[in-house]
Structure formats: C-alpha cells, structure tokens
Amino acid sequence: MDAHTYIAIILAACLLAPIFAVITLSSPILWLIIEPIGEKSYVFISLVYPDGLREISRLVIDANTPGIVKLDLSDLKQAWDFENTVNHRFAQPVILITGFTRSRKLIATGLDLSWKSIPQNIYIKPKFIVSSDKTTRETRSYTINEKINTKLQPLDGCWITHWREDYYEQLLNTTVLIVTGHPNVFGNGGFFYAHDYTVGFSINLFLESSWTRIAFLGVSKSYSGSTTGYFEWGQSLYIWVKAKYVYERWRYYGHCDGETIDYREEYVYIADFYPETFSWGNQLPPDSWVPSWDSFNYEGRYISSSISTPFYVKDSSNWQHDRFAVDVLKFISILSNLGKISSTAVRAASLIGLVISVKFIYENIRAYHFNVVMYGIPGSYDVFYVKCYDVDEVPAPWFITTFATPYYD
C-alpha cells in the first residue's frame, strides 16, 4: 500500500465517522473536518496558549469540498502543564477558526473541548459573523510598509499574512456577587472557588461592526479561595476577585484577485483569576464596575415573621443557571484611554452593554459556589435578580429586594 492510498483511507474514515462520535485518545490528536459553504474560503486555525492566541494552521476550503486538517494538541498540553507547574493555572483546549470567503464574508467559529475526552473527529461548519465589503478598505491608522509585504504568503490565489498586532493585559477587581441594600434588610453573602475545577470565561470577538461570543476559555487553579461578607440595614454587599483581562488585536493583510484584504479581529477575555484575592465590602471596589444590566427577573415574594429568621436564602445549588455575567466595560474603557481598541469596538460594546459570561459548571461539577442570606423586619418582600443581554442573555448574581407589605400576626 503506497502512501497516497493510506492517506486516502484515513481521510475517508474521518469523513464517514458519525458527527457525534467522541473517542478518548491517549494522545491529544484530532481531525478537524470543516464543511464547505458554497464558495472558496480561507481559514486560519488558532489555539489559546498561556501567553494568548497562536495561529497553528491555515488552509483553503473549496466551494463544495470539506477541508481536513490534523491537529496535534501535544504542544498545547505541554504548555498548559508547564503553566500549571509554575503559575498554578491550567486551561482546557480552545480552537478558534477565523478567516474570510472569496466574496469577503468574514468567518469566526470557536470550539472549547476537554482534555479528558478529545474527539477523534470534529465536523464544523464555518459561521459568518458579518458580510461586508469593508474588508477591502485600507485603514488610515496603520501604515503598510515593505516589511509587511515581505511576510505575504501564497494561499491558493491569494497572498496573505496574519499576525498579532497588539497584546495588553491588566489585573482588575471583578465583582462576582452583589446585594443591593434595603432599609428593612440585613444579612450576609459568600463566594467560594473549589481548587482544580474549571471555570469558563467567554472569549468576546469584535469584527468590523459587531461583537460575538466565540468560545469559552476553561481555566482552573490548583488552590481554593473564599470570603464571607455582611451588610447591615440599608447597606449593599459586594464580593470581588482579581482577574486578568486580556486584549488582543489580530490583523489580516494581503491581496486576492487584485483587491486588498485588510481587516482586524479584536479579542477581549479573562485569562486568569486569583482565588486568594476574594474580598468583600459595602461599596463597589476600586477598578471595578457592575455588569451592564438590562432587566430584573422576579424570584418571588417572601415573608419575614421575625428578624432572627432569614426570609430569603439563595445558593448556587438552587441557582437555575450554569453561568453568570461580570463586567468588561471597565477594561474596554481603559483600552480606549490607552488608544489600543478601535473606537467602533468601544461604541458597539457600550451600545449592547457587553459583559464577560462566566460558565462555572463543567461536567456537572460546580467550580464556584455562592450564597445569600437576608433577614428583615416582619413583612413581605419581593426579590429580583439582574439579567444582562448583549449577544445573548446572561444572568448576574445581583439581588435586589423591595418591601411589599407589613407583616400581621
């Protein structure tokens, strides 16, 4: 059997495998089968390393033929194992697939996987983020010089280069639990992270005119952390943790069919958090904003018959969601003041009230645990929590109470 025949058999087996089949492998190797979308597409595949995104492969997908690429995640696994040894941070594999079509439609699709069960085959259809002719424009804020032109590489009819233009990170206090005070109410709240469990932070991508949530970076720490805070009559409670926010700007530049390709991807995400920094206070902490909210979700009416007995108890075990929202607009404001992020990305983020979505349940295991306990003067109370909506709906553990009626024995 010659080499060409052997490769053909392997690829045919990949194409015939069920789309839902998942096989646990001893080696983190998988075949990524990218479905055709009716026109020629130029696709770039990146992984999230401890120091950010890194392009590892690029390919052309014909109009009606799947694109097949073998991904060996061994180097990624080694990088995260080393990061865990040195900085006590580990992450699950994330694959980002971006690029453009011959007609200049932009593509962005993400996959978040688990090291415990690497799929043998993954079938994915590229997702269009925007359809615009703006990708052919020249941008005025950056100069194309000869050095960039020397980096152009042939890609089936195009000459393209793709590189990271900017990277910036900053530690900020990130508010994870809020109880808005009421004159008739006092109580306490707590937050806890269980070591070695995974918390997913959304990777938010801005392309041309819109933000999208492309994937979740699943991060775990090798140590735990917690805090418990209190609020007196009329006070509010805030619990926060320090987190590392990251901004990356990637650029495509080249020529296709005599036209110029020139556009950018802007990524904002949380890459790390520090459980030992869980803190609380009765005022919003420095360097922190509350998540941009849109509506109140009515929890129900609760009756207090005595100030010595709580009328409302909520914890993460009876929280009906697997994720919650934290603020990202503070970080975007910092980026804007530094002149790093584009003004269009800033306006779009402010307009929709962009947040970071935090997924704290993986494989039915809760990495974050929180609780809220409220006491009040006798009477009836209506309790609400906040919902945020940017590119999709995300709740926030932000609880608000109103006094409904006095209590009569």
Side-chain angles (χ1 to χ4, degrees), residues 214-272:
I214 190 171
F216 281 84
L217 176 62
V219 179
S220 59
K221 306 288 286 195
S222 61
Y223 54 95
S224 302
S226 65
T227 192
T228 299
Y230 304 88
F231 55 100
E232 300 296 336
W233 309 96
Q235 288 184 325
S236 295
L237 173 66
Y238 301 91
I239 292 180
W240 62 87
V241 64
K242 287 192 179 298
K244 180 194 290 184
Y245 286 76
V246 171
Y247 169 76
E248 298 194 39
R249 184 177 68 241
W250 285 74
R251 185 173 183 180
Y252 292 86
Y253 179 77
H255 306 282
C256 279
D257 303 326
E259 296 183 0
T260 298
I261 296 292
D262 188 4
Y263 73 96
R264 292 171 176 82
E265 302 164 341
E266 297 182 89
Y267 296 87
V268 174
Y269 59 97
I270 289 178
D272 200 1

Short mmCIF file of all heavy atoms in Angstrom, two decimals, residues 214-272:
data_model
loop_
_atom_site.label_atom_id
_atom_site.label_comp_id
_atom_site.label_asym_id
_atom_site.label_seq_id
_atom_site.Cartn_x
_atom_site.Cartn_y
_atom_site.Cartn_z
N ILE A 214 -17.31 33.87 20.97
CA ILE A 214 -16.82 32.86 20.05
C ILE A 214 -16.53 31.52 20.74
O ILE A 214 -16.63 30.46 20.13
CB ILE A 214 -15.57 33.37 19.29
CG1 ILE A 214 -15.19 32.42 18.16
CG2 ILE A 214 -14.42 33.63 20.22
CD1 ILE A 214 -14.11 32.96 17.25
N ALA A 215 -16.15 31.54 22.03
CA ALA A 215 -15.81 30.31 22.75
C ALA A 215 -15.65 30.64 24.23
O ALA A 215 -15.73 31.81 24.64
CB ALA A 215 -14.53 29.68 22.20
N PHE A 216 -15.42 29.60 25.04
CA PHE A 216 -15.13 29.78 26.46
C PHE A 216 -13.74 29.20 26.75
O PHE A 216 -13.43 28.07 26.36
CB PHE A 216 -16.16 29.05 27.33
CG PHE A 216 -17.47 29.79 27.47
CD1 PHE A 216 -18.45 29.66 26.50
CD2 PHE A 216 -17.70 30.62 28.55
CE1 PHE A 216 -19.65 30.34 26.62
CE2 PHE A 216 -18.90 31.30 28.69
CZ PHE A 216 -19.88 31.16 27.72
N LEU A 217 -12.92 29.99 27.44
CA LEU A 217 -11.63 29.52 27.90
C LEU A 217 -11.82 28.93 29.30
O LEU A 217 -12.08 29.66 30.26
CB LEU A 217 -10.61 30.67 27.93
CG LEU A 217 -9.23 30.32 28.49
CD1 LEU A 217 -8.55 29.25 27.63
CD2 LEU A 217 -8.36 31.57 28.59
N GLY A 218 -11.69 27.61 29.41
CA GLY A 218 -11.90 26.93 30.69
C GLY A 218 -10.62 26.92 31.52
O GLY A 218 -9.66 26.24 31.18
N VAL A 219 -10.62 27.68 32.63
CA VAL A 219 -9.44 27.86 33.46
C VAL A 219 -9.66 27.20 34.82
O VAL A 219 -10.75 27.29 35.39
CB VAL A 219 -9.12 29.35 33.66
CG1 VAL A 219 -7.90 29.55 34.55
CG2 VAL A 219 -8.92 30.03 32.31
N SER A 220 -8.63 26.55 35.35
CA SER A 220 -8.67 26.01 36.70
C SER A 220 -7.42 26.43 37.45
O SER A 220 -6.37 26.69 36.86
CB SER A 220 -8.79 24.48 36.69
OG SER A 220 -7.69 23.89 36.00
N LYS A 221 -7.54 26.51 38.77
CA LYS A 221 -6.43 26.88 39.64
C LYS A 221 -6.18 25.72 40.61
O LYS A 221 -7.10 24.99 40.99
CB LYS A 221 -6.74 28.14 40.43
CG LYS A 221 -7.15 29.32 39.56
CD LYS A 221 -5.99 29.90 38.78
CE LYS A 221 -5.08 30.69 39.69
NZ LYS A 221 -4.14 31.55 38.93
N SER A 222 -4.93 25.58 41.06
CA SER A 222 -4.57 24.46 41.91
C SER A 222 -4.80 24.74 43.39
O SER A 222 -4.38 23.96 44.24
CB SER A 222 -3.11 24.05 41.68
OG SER A 222 -2.25 25.14 41.98
N TYR A 223 -5.46 25.86 43.71
CA TYR A 223 -5.76 26.17 45.10
C TYR A 223 -7.13 26.83 45.19
O TYR A 223 -7.64 27.37 44.21
CB TYR A 223 -4.69 27.08 45.70
CG TYR A 223 -4.44 28.36 44.92
CD1 TYR A 223 -5.09 29.54 45.25
CD2 TYR A 223 -3.56 28.38 43.84
CE1 TYR A 223 -4.87 30.70 44.54
CE2 TYR A 223 -3.33 29.54 43.12
CZ TYR A 223 -3.99 30.70 43.48
OH TYR A 223 -3.77 31.85 42.76
N SER A 224 -7.73 26.77 46.37
CA SER A 224 -9.08 27.29 46.58
C SER A 224 -9.03 28.71 47.12
O SER A 224 -7.95 29.25 47.42
CB SER A 224 -9.84 26.39 47.57
OG SER A 224 -9.90 25.06 47.10
N GLY A 225 -10.20 29.31 47.26
CA GLY A 225 -10.31 30.63 47.85
C GLY A 225 -11.75 30.95 48.18
O GLY A 225 -12.67 30.42 47.54
N SER A 226 -11.97 31.80 49.19
CA SER A 226 -13.35 32.12 49.58
C SER A 226 -13.38 33.39 50.42
O SER A 226 -12.35 33.86 50.92
CB SER A 226 -13.97 30.97 50.38
OG SER A 226 -13.29 30.79 51.62
N THR A 227 -14.57 33.93 50.59
CA THR A 227 -14.81 35.04 51.51
C THR A 227 -16.28 35.06 51.89
O THR A 227 -17.13 34.54 51.16
CB THR A 227 -14.40 36.39 50.87
OG1 THR A 227 -14.38 37.39 51.89
CG2 THR A 227 -15.39 36.82 49.78
N THR A 228 -16.57 35.65 53.04
CA THR A 228 -17.95 35.86 53.50
C THR A 228 -18.08 37.30 53.96
O THR A 228 -17.25 37.79 54.76
CB THR A 228 -18.31 34.93 54.66
OG1 THR A 228 -18.21 33.57 54.24
CG2 THR A 228 -19.74 35.18 55.14
N GLY A 229 -19.10 37.99 53.46
CA GLY A 229 -19.29 39.39 53.80
C GLY A 229 -20.65 39.65 54.42
O GLY A 229 -21.56 38.80 54.35
N TYR A 230 -20.82 40.82 55.02
CA TYR A 230 -22.04 41.15 55.76
C TYR A 230 -22.53 42.54 55.35
O TYR A 230 -21.75 43.40 54.95
CB TYR A 230 -21.76 41.13 57.26
CG TYR A 230 -21.19 39.80 57.73
CD1 TYR A 230 -19.81 39.58 57.71
CD2 TYR A 230 -22.03 38.79 58.16
CE1 TYR A 230 -19.28 38.36 58.12
CE2 TYR A 230 -21.51 37.56 58.57
CZ TYR A 230 -20.14 37.35 58.54
OH TYR A 230 -19.62 36.14 58.93
N PHE A 231 -23.84 42.73 55.46
CA PHE A 231 -24.42 44.04 55.20
C PHE A 231 -25.47 44.34 56.27
O PHE A 231 -26.27 43.48 56.63
CB PHE A 231 -25.01 44.14 53.79
CG PHE A 231 -26.04 43.09 53.45
CD1 PHE A 231 -27.40 43.38 53.52
CD2 PHE A 231 -25.66 41.82 53.05
CE1 PHE A 231 -28.36 42.42 53.18
CE2 PHE A 231 -26.61 40.86 52.72
CZ PHE A 231 -27.96 41.16 52.79
N GLU A 232 -25.40 45.55 56.80
CA GLU A 232 -26.35 45.99 57.82
C GLU A 232 -27.56 46.63 57.14
O GLU A 232 -27.65 46.71 55.91
CB GLU A 232 -25.67 46.98 58.78
CG GLU A 232 -24.47 46.41 59.52
CD GLU A 232 -24.85 45.28 60.46
OE1 GLU A 232 -26.03 45.23 60.88
OE2 GLU A 232 -23.98 44.45 60.77
N TRP A 233 -28.50 47.10 57.95
CA TRP A 233 -29.72 47.72 57.43
C TRP A 233 -29.37 48.78 56.39
O TRP A 233 -28.61 49.71 56.64
CB TRP A 233 -30.52 48.39 58.55
CG TRP A 233 -30.79 47.50 59.74
CD1 TRP A 233 -30.07 47.45 60.89
CD2 TRP A 233 -31.85 46.57 59.88
NE1 TRP A 233 -30.62 46.55 61.75
CE2 TRP A 233 -31.73 45.98 61.16
CE3 TRP A 233 -32.92 46.16 59.06
CZ2 TRP A 233 -32.60 45.02 61.64
CZ3 TRP A 233 -33.79 45.20 59.55
CH2 TRP A 233 -33.64 44.65 60.80
N GLY A 234 -29.90 48.60 55.18
CA GLY A 234 -29.74 49.60 54.14
C GLY A 234 -28.42 49.55 53.40
O GLY A 234 -28.25 50.26 52.40
N GLN A 235 -27.46 48.75 53.85
CA GLN A 235 -26.18 48.66 53.17
C GLN A 235 -26.25 47.70 51.98
O GLN A 235 -27.12 46.82 51.93
CB GLN A 235 -25.08 48.17 54.13
CG GLN A 235 -24.66 49.18 55.17
CD GLN A 235 -23.52 48.65 56.02
OE1 GLN A 235 -23.43 47.46 56.32
NE2 GLN A 235 -22.62 49.54 56.40
N SER A 236 -25.33 47.88 51.06
CA SER A 236 -25.16 46.92 49.97
C SER A 236 -23.95 46.03 50.26
O SER A 236 -23.10 46.37 51.08
CB SER A 236 -24.95 47.65 48.64
OG SER A 236 -26.10 48.39 48.28
N LEU A 237 -23.89 44.89 49.58
CA LEU A 237 -22.76 43.96 49.72
C LEU A 237 -22.16 43.71 48.34
O LEU A 237 -22.89 43.46 47.38
CB LEU A 237 -23.23 42.64 50.33
CG LEU A 237 -22.18 41.51 50.36
CD1 LEU A 237 -21.02 41.86 51.29
CD2 LEU A 237 -22.81 40.18 50.75
N TYR A 238 -20.83 43.80 48.26
CA TYR A 238 -20.10 43.47 47.03
C TYR A 238 -19.03 42.44 47.36
O TYR A 238 -18.31 42.59 48.36
CB TYR A 238 -19.43 44.71 46.44
CG TYR A 238 -20.39 45.82 46.08
CD1 TYR A 238 -20.70 46.82 47.02
CD2 TYR A 238 -20.97 45.89 44.82
CE1 TYR A 238 -21.57 47.84 46.69
CE2 TYR A 238 -21.84 46.91 44.49
CZ TYR A 238 -22.14 47.89 45.43
OH TYR A 238 -23.01 48.90 45.11
N ILE A 239 -18.93 41.41 46.54
CA ILE A 239 -17.83 40.44 46.64
C ILE A 239 -17.10 40.45 45.31
O ILE A 239 -17.72 40.43 44.25
CB ILE A 239 -18.35 39.03 46.99
CG1 ILE A 239 -18.91 39.02 48.42
CG2 ILE A 239 -17.25 37.99 46.85
CD1 ILE A 239 -19.46 37.67 48.85
N TRP A 240 -15.76 40.48 45.39
CA TRP A 240 -14.97 40.57 44.16
C TRP A 240 -13.72 39.71 44.24
O TRP A 240 -13.33 39.24 45.32
CB TRP A 240 -14.61 42.02 43.87
CG TRP A 240 -13.76 42.69 44.91
CD1 TRP A 240 -12.39 42.67 45.00
CD2 TRP A 240 -14.22 43.48 46.03
NE1 TRP A 240 -11.97 43.40 46.08
CE2 TRP A 240 -13.06 43.90 46.73
CE3 TRP A 240 -15.47 43.85 46.49
CZ2 TRP A 240 -13.15 44.69 47.88
CZ3 TRP A 240 -15.55 44.64 47.63
CH2 TRP A 240 -14.41 45.05 48.30
N VAL A 241 -13.12 39.51 43.09
CA VAL A 241 -11.88 38.75 42.96
C VAL A 241 -11.03 39.42 41.88
O VAL A 241 -11.59 40.00 40.94
CB VAL A 241 -12.17 37.27 42.61
CG1 VAL A 241 -12.84 37.16 41.24
CG2 VAL A 241 -10.90 36.42 42.65
N LYS A 242 -9.72 39.37 42.02
CA LYS A 242 -8.86 39.92 40.97
C LYS A 242 -8.80 38.96 39.79
O LYS A 242 -8.66 37.75 39.96
CB LYS A 242 -7.45 40.18 41.50
CG LYS A 242 -7.37 41.40 42.42
CD LYS A 242 -5.95 41.79 42.70
CE LYS A 242 -5.90 43.03 43.59
NZ LYS A 242 -6.53 44.21 42.95
N ALA A 243 -8.92 39.51 38.59
CA ALA A 243 -8.88 38.71 37.37
C ALA A 243 -7.98 39.40 36.35
O ALA A 243 -7.83 40.63 36.35
CB ALA A 243 -10.29 38.52 36.79
N LYS A 244 -7.38 38.59 35.49
CA LYS A 244 -6.52 39.12 34.44
C LYS A 244 -7.34 39.25 33.15
O LYS A 244 -7.76 38.26 32.56
CB LYS A 244 -5.33 38.21 34.18
CG LYS A 244 -4.39 38.73 33.09
CD LYS A 244 -3.41 37.67 32.63
CE LYS A 244 -2.39 37.35 33.69
NZ LYS A 244 -1.39 36.37 33.20
N TYR A 245 -7.57 40.49 32.74
CA TYR A 245 -8.25 40.78 31.48
C TYR A 245 -7.21 40.90 30.37
O TYR A 245 -6.14 41.47 30.57
CB TYR A 245 -9.04 42.07 31.58
CG TYR A 245 -10.31 41.98 32.41
CD1 TYR A 245 -10.25 41.95 33.80
CD2 TYR A 245 -11.56 41.94 31.80
CE1 TYR A 245 -11.41 41.88 34.56
CE2 TYR A 245 -12.72 41.87 32.55
CZ TYR A 245 -12.64 41.83 33.93
OH TYR A 245 -13.79 41.76 34.67
N VAL A 246 -7.55 40.38 29.20
CA VAL A 246 -6.62 40.38 28.06
C VAL A 246 -7.30 40.98 26.84
O VAL A 246 -8.49 40.73 26.57
CB VAL A 246 -6.15 38.95 27.74
CG1 VAL A 246 -5.37 38.91 26.43
CG2 VAL A 246 -5.27 38.42 28.88
N TYR A 247 -6.54 41.78 26.11
CA TYR A 247 -6.96 42.30 24.81
C TYR A 247 -5.94 41.87 23.76
O TYR A 247 -4.72 41.98 23.98
CB TYR A 247 -7.03 43.83 24.84
CG TYR A 247 -7.20 44.48 23.48
CD1 TYR A 247 -8.43 44.47 22.83
CD2 TYR A 247 -6.12 45.11 22.85
CE1 TYR A 247 -8.58 45.08 21.59
CE2 TYR A 247 -6.27 45.71 21.61
CZ TYR A 247 -7.50 45.69 20.98
OH TYR A 247 -7.66 46.29 19.76
N GLU A 248 -6.42 41.35 22.64
CA GLU A 248 -5.56 41.01 21.51
C GLU A 248 -6.15 41.57 20.23
O GLU A 248 -7.37 41.50 20.02
CB GLU A 248 -5.40 39.49 21.36
CG GLU A 248 -4.75 38.81 22.55
CD GLU A 248 -4.31 37.39 22.24
OE1 GLU A 248 -3.82 37.16 21.10
OE2 GLU A 248 -4.45 36.52 23.12
N ARG A 249 -5.29 42.12 19.39
CA ARG A 249 -5.71 42.58 18.06
C ARG A 249 -4.91 41.84 17.01
O ARG A 249 -3.67 41.89 17.01
CB ARG A 249 -5.52 44.09 17.91
CG ARG A 249 -6.05 44.62 16.56
CD ARG A 249 -5.93 46.13 16.44
NE ARG A 249 -4.55 46.57 16.36
CZ ARG A 249 -3.98 47.37 17.25
NH1 ARG A 249 -4.66 47.81 18.30
NH2 ARG A 249 -2.71 47.73 17.12
N TRP A 250 -5.62 41.12 16.15
CA TRP A 250 -5.00 40.37 15.07
C TRP A 250 -5.38 41.00 13.74
O TRP A 250 -6.49 41.53 13.58
CB TRP A 250 -5.45 38.91 15.10
CG TRP A 250 -4.78 38.13 16.20
CD1 TRP A 250 -5.03 38.21 17.54
CD2 TRP A 250 -3.74 37.17 16.03
NE1 TRP A 250 -4.21 37.35 18.23
CE2 TRP A 250 -3.40 36.70 17.34
CE3 TRP A 250 -3.05 36.66 14.93
CZ2 TRP A 250 -2.41 35.74 17.54
CZ3 TRP A 250 -2.08 35.71 15.14
CH2 TRP A 250 -1.76 35.26 16.43
N ARG A 251 -4.46 40.93 12.80
CA ARG A 251 -4.68 41.60 11.52
C ARG A 251 -4.46 40.65 10.35
O ARG A 251 -3.53 39.84 10.34
CB ARG A 251 -3.73 42.78 11.38
CG ARG A 251 -3.97 43.61 10.12
CD ARG A 251 -3.13 44.85 10.14
NE ARG A 251 -3.38 45.69 8.98
CZ ARG A 251 -2.76 46.83 8.76
NH1 ARG A 251 -1.85 47.27 9.61
NH2 ARG A 251 -3.03 47.55 7.69
N TYR A 252 -5.36 40.75 9.38
CA TYR A 252 -5.20 40.09 8.08
C TYR A 252 -4.82 41.17 7.06
O TYR A 252 -5.47 42.21 6.98
CB TYR A 252 -6.51 39.44 7.62
CG TYR A 252 -6.94 38.25 8.44
CD1 TYR A 252 -7.70 38.41 9.59
CD2 TYR A 252 -6.60 36.95 8.05
CE1 TYR A 252 -8.11 37.33 10.34
CE2 TYR A 252 -7.01 35.86 8.79
CZ TYR A 252 -7.75 36.05 9.93
OH TYR A 252 -8.16 34.97 10.66
N TYR A 253 -3.80 40.89 6.28
CA TYR A 253 -3.46 41.80 5.20
C TYR A 253 -2.97 40.99 4.01
O TYR A 253 -2.20 40.03 4.16
CB TYR A 253 -2.37 42.80 5.61
CG TYR A 253 -2.00 43.73 4.47
CD1 TYR A 253 -2.82 44.80 4.15
CD2 TYR A 253 -0.86 43.50 3.71
CE1 TYR A 253 -2.50 45.63 3.09
CE2 TYR A 253 -0.53 44.33 2.65
CZ TYR A 253 -1.36 45.39 2.34
OH TYR A 253 -1.07 46.21 1.29
N GLY A 254 -3.42 41.36 2.81
CA GLY A 254 -2.97 40.67 1.61
C GLY A 254 -3.72 41.11 0.38
O GLY A 254 -4.40 42.15 0.38
N HIS A 255 -3.60 40.30 -0.67
CA HIS A 255 -4.21 40.63 -1.95
C HIS A 255 -4.87 39.38 -2.53
O HIS A 255 -4.27 38.30 -2.56
CB HIS A 255 -3.15 41.16 -2.92
CG HIS A 255 -2.38 42.32 -2.37
ND1 HIS A 255 -2.88 43.59 -2.33
CD2 HIS A 255 -1.14 42.38 -1.82
CE1 HIS A 255 -1.99 44.40 -1.78
NE2 HIS A 255 -0.92 43.68 -1.47
N CYS A 256 -6.11 39.55 -2.97
CA CYS A 256 -6.86 38.49 -3.64
C CYS A 256 -7.53 39.08 -4.87
O CYS A 256 -8.27 40.08 -4.76
CB CYS A 256 -7.94 37.90 -2.72
SG CYS A 256 -7.36 36.68 -1.55
N ASP A 257 -7.31 38.46 -6.03
CA ASP A 257 -7.96 38.89 -7.26
C ASP A 257 -7.74 40.37 -7.53
O ASP A 257 -8.64 41.08 -8.00
CB ASP A 257 -9.47 38.60 -7.21
CG ASP A 257 -9.75 37.13 -6.96
OD1 ASP A 257 -8.97 36.29 -7.44
OD2 ASP A 257 -10.75 36.82 -6.27
N GLY A 258 -6.58 40.86 -7.19
CA GLY A 258 -6.27 42.25 -7.44
C GLY A 258 -6.85 43.21 -6.43
O GLY A 258 -6.69 44.43 -6.56
N GLU A 259 -7.55 42.71 -5.41
CA GLU A 259 -8.12 43.55 -4.37
C GLU A 259 -7.33 43.38 -3.07
O GLU A 259 -6.69 42.34 -2.84
CB GLU A 259 -9.59 43.21 -4.13
CG GLU A 259 -10.49 43.48 -5.33
CD GLU A 259 -11.95 43.19 -5.02
OE1 GLU A 259 -12.22 42.77 -3.87
OE2 GLU A 259 -12.79 43.35 -5.91
N THR A 260 -7.41 44.39 -2.23
CA THR A 260 -6.69 44.36 -0.96
C THR A 260 -7.57 43.78 0.15
O THR A 260 -8.73 44.18 0.29
CB THR A 260 -6.24 45.77 -0.56
OG1 THR A 260 -5.35 46.26 -1.55
CG2 THR A 260 -5.54 45.75 0.79
N ILE A 261 -7.02 42.84 0.91
CA ILE A 261 -7.66 42.33 2.11
C ILE A 261 -7.00 43.02 3.29
O ILE A 261 -5.77 42.97 3.45
CB ILE A 261 -7.48 40.81 2.24
CG1 ILE A 261 -8.18 40.08 1.10
CG2 ILE A 261 -7.99 40.32 3.60
CD1 ILE A 261 -9.69 40.16 1.15
N ASP A 262 -7.78 43.70 4.13
CA ASP A 262 -7.18 44.42 5.25
C ASP A 262 -8.24 44.59 6.33
O ASP A 262 -9.10 45.46 6.25
CB ASP A 262 -6.66 45.78 4.79
CG ASP A 262 -5.85 46.48 5.88
OD1 ASP A 262 -5.66 45.87 6.95
OD2 ASP A 262 -5.42 47.62 5.65
N TYR A 263 -8.20 43.74 7.33
CA TYR A 263 -9.15 43.87 8.44
C TYR A 263 -8.56 43.29 9.70
O TYR A 263 -7.53 42.62 9.69
CB TYR A 263 -10.50 43.24 8.10
CG TYR A 263 -10.55 41.72 8.09
CD1 TYR A 263 -10.97 41.03 9.22
CD2 TYR A 263 -10.21 40.99 6.95
CE1 TYR A 263 -11.03 39.64 9.21
CE2 TYR A 263 -10.28 39.62 6.94
CZ TYR A 263 -10.69 38.94 8.07
OH TYR A 263 -10.75 37.57 8.06
N ARG A 264 -9.23 43.56 10.82
CA ARG A 264 -8.73 43.16 12.13
C ARG A 264 -9.77 42.40 12.93
O ARG A 264 -10.96 42.61 12.78
CB ARG A 264 -8.27 44.40 12.92
CG ARG A 264 -7.05 45.05 12.32
CD ARG A 264 -6.76 46.38 12.98
NE ARG A 264 -5.53 46.94 12.44
CZ ARG A 264 -5.46 47.62 11.30
NH1 ARG A 264 -6.54 47.82 10.59
NH2 ARG A 264 -4.30 48.08 10.88
N GLU A 265 -9.25 41.53 13.80
CA GLU A 265 -10.05 40.87 14.83
C GLU A 265 -9.59 41.42 16.17
O GLU A 265 -8.40 41.50 16.45
CB GLU A 265 -9.82 39.36 14.82
CG GLU A 265 -10.13 38.69 13.50
CD GLU A 265 -9.53 37.29 13.43
OE1 GLU A 265 -8.61 36.97 14.22
OE2 GLU A 265 -9.97 36.52 12.56
N GLU A 266 -10.54 41.79 17.02
CA GLU A 266 -10.22 42.30 18.35
C GLU A 266 -10.86 41.39 19.39
O GLU A 266 -12.08 41.18 19.39
CB GLU A 266 -10.71 43.74 18.52
CG GLU A 266 -10.02 44.71 17.56
CD GLU A 266 -10.46 46.14 17.74
OE1 GLU A 266 -9.85 46.86 18.56
OE2 GLU A 266 -11.42 46.54 17.04
N TYR A 267 -10.02 40.83 20.26
CA TYR A 267 -10.46 39.87 21.27
C TYR A 267 -10.35 40.50 22.66
O TYR A 267 -9.36 41.14 22.99
CB TYR A 267 -9.59 38.62 21.24
CG TYR A 267 -9.67 37.81 19.97
CD1 TYR A 267 -8.83 38.10 18.89
CD2 TYR A 267 -10.56 36.75 19.84
CE1 TYR A 267 -8.88 37.36 17.72
CE2 TYR A 267 -10.62 36.01 18.67
CZ TYR A 267 -9.78 36.32 17.62
OH TYR A 267 -9.84 35.58 16.47
N VAL A 268 -11.38 40.27 23.48
CA VAL A 268 -11.36 40.66 24.89
C VAL A 268 -11.84 39.46 25.70
O VAL A 268 -12.91 38.90 25.40
CB VAL A 268 -12.25 41.89 25.15
CG1 VAL A 268 -12.32 42.17 26.64
CG2 VAL A 268 -11.72 43.12 24.42
N TYR A 269 -11.05 39.07 26.71
CA TYR A 269 -11.44 37.92 27.52
C TYR A 269 -10.71 37.95 28.86
O TYR A 269 -9.77 38.74 29.07
CB TYR A 269 -11.16 36.61 26.79
CG TYR A 269 -9.72 36.37 26.38
CD1 TYR A 269 -8.87 35.59 27.15
CD2 TYR A 269 -9.20 36.91 25.19
CE1 TYR A 269 -7.56 35.35 26.77
CE2 TYR A 269 -7.90 36.68 24.80
CZ TYR A 269 -7.08 35.89 25.60
OH TYR A 269 -5.77 35.67 25.22
N ILE A 270 -11.15 37.12 29.79
CA ILE A 270 -10.46 36.90 31.06
C ILE A 270 -9.62 35.65 30.92
O ILE A 270 -10.12 34.59 30.54
CB ILE A 270 -11.46 36.78 32.23
CG1 ILE A 270 -12.09 38.14 32.52
CG2 ILE A 270 -10.76 36.25 33.48
CD1 ILE A 270 -13.13 38.12 33.62
N ALA A 271 -8.32 35.76 31.23
CA ALA A 271 -7.40 34.65 31.06
C ALA A 271 -7.01 33.99 32.38
O ALA A 271 -6.45 32.89 32.37
CB ALA A 271 -6.14 35.10 30.33
N ASP A 272 -7.27 34.67 33.50
CA ASP A 272 -6.85 34.11 34.79
C ASP A 272 -7.63 34.80 35.90
O ASP A 272 -8.15 35.91 35.73
CB ASP A 272 -5.35 34.33 34.98
CG ASP A 272 -4.75 33.40 36.03
OD1 ASP A 272 -5.49 32.57 36.60
OD2 ASP A 272 -3.53 33.50 36.28
#
